[in-house]
Amino acid sequence: GMVAGTILNAQGENVEAVAVTVAGATQASMTTGADGQFQFQMDLGADYTVTPVKDINPLNGVSTFDLVLMSKHILGINQFDSPYKYVAADVNKSGTITAFDMVQLRQLILNIKTEFPSNDSWRFVDASHEFTSANPASENFSEFYTINTLSENMMNLDFVGVKIGDINGSAEPNSLVGTEDRTDDGVLVLTAQEAKIPAGESYKVEIAAEDFTQVLGFQNTWTLAEGVEFSDVISGAIAMILSESLSLSLSLTISL
């Protein structure tokens, strides 16, 4: 009997590189291609469980903008309009959307963590599941498909792939689809005063930007020349977060 299905994301795009396993009287596995499809020939009369897994590239589709969307949802400013956004925002897999999910996602963005501590990079929802609660992340939706006594071809064992942390759906689901451009209206210009500083002295670099009220969020990285030592970061008009790789700062103190 043929056991087959297709894995799509919430936008209807095929999800590639999903490891699909069939376990039961016999074992089989395969990885989906750019078409998102899987199929197996299995013995009739036996029970099987079909399970999709994808735990690679956790930063795929994840950016500061996703943190902004999560924050607005938690504060009640803009609630998620899709049950799959709830699943994507449940970074710590607790069944709730809280500030702890934002903390773990921020750690990933800032390279403090290289993977989700308690979640896979992708989760897969049985496509036939209908979300009914106010908090879809708390529902006990199936992430596998159980076949009780295979008696005929089963060709529609479809799943919806959800990239964890990707609230705005910008993740690249397969090699044929490019990532969404997250740059909106122009360029944010940061300015600083040039200065020559004698060796051994500390210097505070003030960094400013105009029209910052139009910016929902941003992230960037500073690279220091050889011999320049970073000392501290001081928040200015907005609160900044500093990672070990020296990201996200408007005010720097540099020791030479």
Side-chain angles (χ1 to χ4, degrees):
M2 180 75 74
V3 174
T6 304
I7 302 179
L8 306 172
N9 62 12
Q11 291 77 43
E13 300 167 320
N14 305 325
V15 182
E16 188 177 6
V18 181
V20 183
T21 301
V22 178
T26 56
Q27 309 284 332
S29 63
M30 68 164 291
T31 301
T32 60
D35 59 2
Q37 297 181 359
F38 62 89
Q39 60 179 21
F40 301 92
Q41 286 280 3
M42 307 302 293
D43 293 335
L44 295 175
D47 300 337
Y48 298 100
T49 300
V50 182
T51 306
V53 175
K54 184 175 182 179
D55 192 21
I56 59 175
N57 302 329
L59 274 174
N60 182 13
V62 174
S63 73
T64 301
F65 186 50
D66 296 303
L67 288 174
V68 172
L69 296 177
M70 291 174 65
S71 176
K72 287 187 173 184
H73 172 81
I74 293 172
L75 295 174
I77 299 173
N78 283 321
Q79 298 291 298
F80 295 149
D81 57 3
S82 164
Y84 300 112
K85 291 183 179 181
Y86 283 81
V87 177
D90 185 18
V91 175
N92 64 356
K93 208 175 181 180
S94 66
T96 58
I97 312 301
T98 68
F100 292 108
D101 297 297
M102 294 184 62
V103 168
Q104 289 196 359
L105 193 62
R106 182 179 292 117
Q107 289 177 332
L108 186 72
I109 292 172
L110 298 179
N111 295 315
I112 297 173
K113 301 288 186 180
T114 58
E115 60 184 7
F116 298 114
S118 53
N119 210 343
D120 285 349
S121 180
W122 289 75
R123 294 183 71 180
F124 298 93
V125 182
D126 182 345
S128 64
H129 180 82
E130 295 184 5
F131 290 94
T132 58
S133 69
N135 176 24
S138 67
E139 292 192 21
N140 187 28
F141 54 85
S142 178
E143 299 186 63
F144 54 86
Y145 197 96
T146 300
I147 302 172
N148 295 315
T149 311
L150 180 65
S151 60
E152 60 183 358
N153 291 338
M154 302 189 71
M155 306 295 292
N156 298 303
L157 305 187
D158 301 334
F159 292 89
V160 177
V162 181
K163 175 62 184 67
I164 300 304
D166 175 27
I167 314 304
N168 69 334
S170 63
E172 181 180 350
N174 61 66
S175 56
L176 301 181
V177 178
T179 55
E180 178 182 313
D181 187 358
R182 291 187 292 262
T183 301
D184 290 332
D185 301 323
V187 177
L188 174 64
V189 178
L190 302 178
T191 61
Q193 185 69 38
E194 288 191 59
K196 291 184 178 181
I197 311 300
E201 294 188 8
S202 296
Y203 182 68
K204 183 178 181 181
V205 180
E206 296 282 357
I207 300 175
E210 296 182 356
D211 299 324
F212 210 84
T213 57
Q214 302 300 315
V215 178
L216 293 176
F218 76 97
Q219 65 191 65
N220 70 327
T221 300
W222 296 88
T223 301
L224 303 181
E226 184 178 356
V228 180
E229 179 183 351
F230 169 76
S231 175
D232 192 16
V233 61
I234 304 170
S235 294
I238 63 173
M240 306 306 296
I241 300 168
L242 182 68
S243 79
E244 295 176 357
S245 57
L246 188 58
S247 298
L248 296 180
S249 53
L250 281 184
S251 181
L252 301 176
T253 301
I254 298 178
S255 299
L256 292 88

